Amino acid sequence: MRNVILLCTMLMLISCDRSPAINIAPGPQQLVRLSDSEIKGLDPQKISDLSSLRVAADQFEGLTRLDASGEAEPGLAKGWRMAADGLTWSFTLRESLSFSDDMAFDATLFPALLQRLRAPETAAPSLALFANIVAMEAPASNEVVVRLASPDPALPALLAHPAMAAIPLHRVRQAGDQWTSDRPMIASGPYRLAEWKLNNYARLTRNPQWHDGQAPTATIIWKPMEDSLSALRLFLSDGADIAADYPPSRHQWLRDNHPDIAHSVPYLGSYYFAFNTRRAPFDDRRVRTALSMAVEREWIADKVIGVDNIPAWGLLPPGLAGAEPLHPQWADWPRDRRLRSARRLLAEAGYGPDNPLRFEIRFNSSAEHRRVSVALAAMWKPLGVEASLFNSEAALHFAALRRHEFALARSGWIADLPTPENFLLVHQSANGAGNYSGYASAEYDRILAKAIAEPDARRRQQLMRRAEVRLISDMPILPLYFYVTRSLVAKRIAGWEDNISNVHPSRTLRIRP
């Protein structure tokens, strides 16, 4: 009898739910975007995953924002100026700013935002990105002054990060962490979250108080799709306008059959292996250089990976320290000449037929990492090198790297910002456990410190290149290729611009008539 009553109660509750079903398919005023994972959080200062940051960027705007090409442009500030020493920046706010609940705010909001970001209880994962900011002040209601410890030409791009966007602190003071439960959420950007169905979709609608007027599309739907093959199928069946990824195995098929919808674009990421320079055999630069010289990077990028990756001999992707990436002189030598030089270097280091070089290649579980590791081992066999393979899941793999328990290990870097220092600082001596290779060069650290202190953009870039040249000359890492991003964009969408930062704000996209 008890079960019957429970069943009847459940049926009554179901029958009372008369809310209309939400259409989450593409429409004349609805754009559907597929992300590669579910949203992890809604508070911009407490998130770090890409899916959450993309949704946050649609809702919250800072002093600056990123445009369709990934470049910083005025946001809540209508402009800025930098002092000659590069240490003081002044941002002038637009007039009559308010949140979506019509609550006005002025320049005093931004020092409070920085204070909240740095509060221990916030536990902001992006806190380190803002370490160079000494102070943020509001000398007038329409002016924000940012003081830096060292010059940073990329400050406008940094301040476009959602962690320093305008969030409704008046609501945070009332509701605490529950402020993100409001529907619609109080926003400062072009859209506001109207509905979030976990593992199903997030629906964003226009913010009626946005300073730029009406957002171009009435509704944005974000759908999580962790399986990129499922995302591809949904996209091809007209169930989505944009997919954040597609399977590498379908790259050639898409290029042959749908070249107008598939986008494979260089990204702010370097794929490399780290040598453990703390102990033999890789405490010897000659050994590291010999192995690097024997690697066929073009073959790995084209045949092993095969999604238009750019072969890499240096650390910095194209455009960060010059139009072209670093290219050592020996990279253009024929393979036979490179192998002869590599054998000579190994012999000088004491390795040869009577004492073969033996070590383990460690990588985290992935078909891609395994294929690359197998290829490396095969390319080193003509040198008499005996390389074995060891794989583990990602958490164990990177824990081993932090503990320095490896000889050669799969690594890499995806940048937070489009700046060379974001890559180069990883390898300075002071980076501790995060400097997986253990690379320690006083000269490299000196050049990098000089570059960071340089306010002139051209000289700064030249110094960054010098630091990279020194790093690659010492070869604590084995660069292989630069990452690419893979996206699908329907023909009905206008405004999409391929860019190295893979930034595509919803406000920059249009649905063609």
Side-chain angles (χ1 to χ4, degrees):
M1 183 64 181
R2 183 177 180 182
N3 290 338
V4 172
I5 294 172
L6 180 60
L7 178 59
C8 291
T9 303
M10 291 175 65
L11 289 172
M12 287 175 63
L13 289 172
I14 293 172
S15 65
C16 290
D17 185 5
R18 301 179 185 275
S19 58
I22 297 295
N23 179 12
I24 56 173
Q29 279 295 312
Q30 183 158 286
L31 194 156
V32 179
R33 307 187 64 169
L34 305 181
S35 58
D36 50 15
S37 65
E38 178 57 284
I39 300 168
K40 304 298 189 299
L42 297 174
D43 189 325
Q45 293 193 336
K46 298 186 178 186
I47 56 175
S48 60
D49 65 288
L50 194 54
S51 295
S52 300
L53 287 170
R54 284 171 173 161
V55 175
D58 276 354
Q59 297 184 83
F60 301 100
E61 191 168 298
L63 294 169
T64 60
R65 64 190 187 191
L66 300 181
D67 64 14
S69 62
E71 299 293 327
E73 66 175 10
L76 298 177
K78 59 184 178 183
W80 61 81
R81 62 188 185 276
M82 180 187 72
D85 61 4
L87 298 177
T88 303
W89 295 64
S90 297
F91 296 81
T92 303
L93 292 191
R94 300 179 188 272
E95 291 77 21
S96 304
L97 292 172
S98 65
F99 290 103
S100 58
D101 65 348
D102 208 23
M103 175 66 74
F105 64 89
D106 61 16
T108 58
L109 173 69
F110 294 92
L113 289 171
L114 182 63
Q115 183 179 7
R116 180 178 188 262
L117 182 76
R118 288 176 167 170
E121 58 269 22
T122 304
S126 57
L127 179 61
L129 291 177
F130 302 89
N132 192 40
I133 297 179
V134 174
M136 185 175 282
E137 302 160 356
S141 62
N142 69 336
E143 184 182 13
V144 178
V145 174
V146 181
R147 305 190 190 281
L148 305 178
S150 61
D152 183 6
L155 180 65
L158 174 64
L159 294 179
H161 193 287
M164 270 307 293
I167 62 173
L169 292 184
H170 65 283
R171 182 60 182 146
V172 175
R173 286 190 287 269
Q174 293 172 347
D177 288 343
Q178 295 305 307
W179 76 273
T180 59
S181 299
D182 293 344
R183 297 293 178 270
M185 275 182 64
I186 302 174
S188 58
Y191 294 95
R192 54 183 181 173
L193 181 65
E195 185 181 21
W196 180 23
K197 297 289 187 183
L198 191 63
N199 295 317
N200 192 349
Y201 66 88
R203 181 168 60 91
L204 278 60
T205 57
R206 286 174 173 140
N207 171 7
Q209 302 298 329
W210 186 42
H211 66 84
D212 254 3
Q214 183 172 272
T217 306
T219 306
I220 306 296
I221 301 290
W222 284 94
K223 285 180 62 65
M225 296 287 287
E226 294 189 4
D227 181 6
S228 60
L229 182 57
S230 298
L232 172 63
R233 288 169 176 160
L234 181 63
F235 179 90
L236 292 176
S237 65
D238 296 327
D241 293 302
I242 295 169
D245 195 12
Y246 60 79
S249 60
R250 297 295 190 272
H251 178 69
Q252 190 61 48
W253 180 84
L254 283 165
R255 189 158 57 180
D256 293 342
N257 295 278
H258 298 282
D260 51 347
I261 64 173
H263 297 247
S264 180
V265 182
Y267 187 42
L268 283 172
S270 293
Y271 183 100
Y272 54 82
F273 280 64
F275 294 105
N276 189 344
T277 65
R278 303 169 185 84
R279 60 173 185 256
F282 298 129
D283 57 346
D284 192 321
R285 182 167 67 101
R286 294 169 298 185
V287 177
R288 304 192 298 266
T289 302
L291 295 185
S292 183
M293 296 177 78
V295 172
E296 298 296 309
R297 289 164 171 83
E298 297 95 334
W299 194 87
I300 289 177
D302 183 41
K303 303 300 182 184
V304 178
I305 306 302
V307 289
D308 297 335
N309 296 85
I310 301 172
W313 287 265
L315 174 65
L316 301 178
L320 288 193
E324 297 297 325
L326 185 65
H327 200 78
Q329 184 179 7
W330 54 258
D332 295 322
W333 293 354
R335 177 165 173 76
D336 287 346
R337 182 182 176 186
R338 285 186 282 112
L339 288 178
R340 287 196 302 272
S341 295
R343 290 191 188 97
R344 184 177 66 252
L345 287 170
L346 288 177
E348 291 174 2
Y351 297 100
D354 298 329
N355 182 33
L357 176 62
R358 297 187 179 97
F359 59 89
E360 182 178 79
I361 304 175
R362 182 166 192 146
F363 59 94
N364 50 306
S365 297
S366 158
E368 174 184 305
H369 303 329
R370 176 175 289 278
R371 290 197 303 269
V372 171
S373 299
V374 169
L376 290 175
M379 291 173 185
W380 290 328
K381 278 188 176 181
L383 300 177
V385 172
E386 301 174 10
S388 59
L389 306 183
F390 178 82
N391 78 285
S392 61
E393 58 94 13
L396 293 176
H397 175 80
F398 288 103
L401 265 63
R402 288 190 294 272
R403 295 194 302 268
H404 317 145
E405 296 172 356
F406 70 97
L408 177 67
R410 205 292 294 182
S411 187
W413 187 256
I414 303 294
D416 302 291
L417 295 167
T419 62
E421 58 265 37
N422 203 278
F423 289 86
L424 295 167
L425 286 169
V426 173
H427 306 283
Q428 67 175 351
S429 306
N431 197 32
N435 178 6
Y436 294 150
S437 70
Y439 179 55
S441 165
E443 178 65 8
Y444 174 79
D445 292 348
R446 185 191 67 78
I447 298 171
L448 186 54
K450 188 176 180 181
I452 290 171
E454 176 57 62
D456 181 80
R458 185 181 61 83
R459 290 197 295 268
R460 184 185 182 97
Q461 188 180 68
Q462 292 172 345
L463 287 165
M464 294 293 179
R465 175 65 91 191
R466 278 183 56 194
E468 183 192 19
V469 169
R470 179 58 194 244
L471 177 77
I472 298 306
S473 175
D474 290 338
M475 201 64 68
I477 59 171
L478 177 64
L480 294 178
Y481 59 81
F482 299 118
Y483 282 102
V484 296
T485 56
R486 300 182 296 271
S487 307
L488 299 170
V489 184
K491 287 184 283 188
R492 82 183 193 115
I493 300 301
W496 180 280
E497 293 186 28
D498 291 331
N499 62 79
I500 194 172
S501 298
N502 194 29
V503 170
H504 308 283
S506 295
R507 73 170 197 282
T508 65
L509 305 173
R510 306 288 189 277
I511 297 175
R512 300 182 194 275

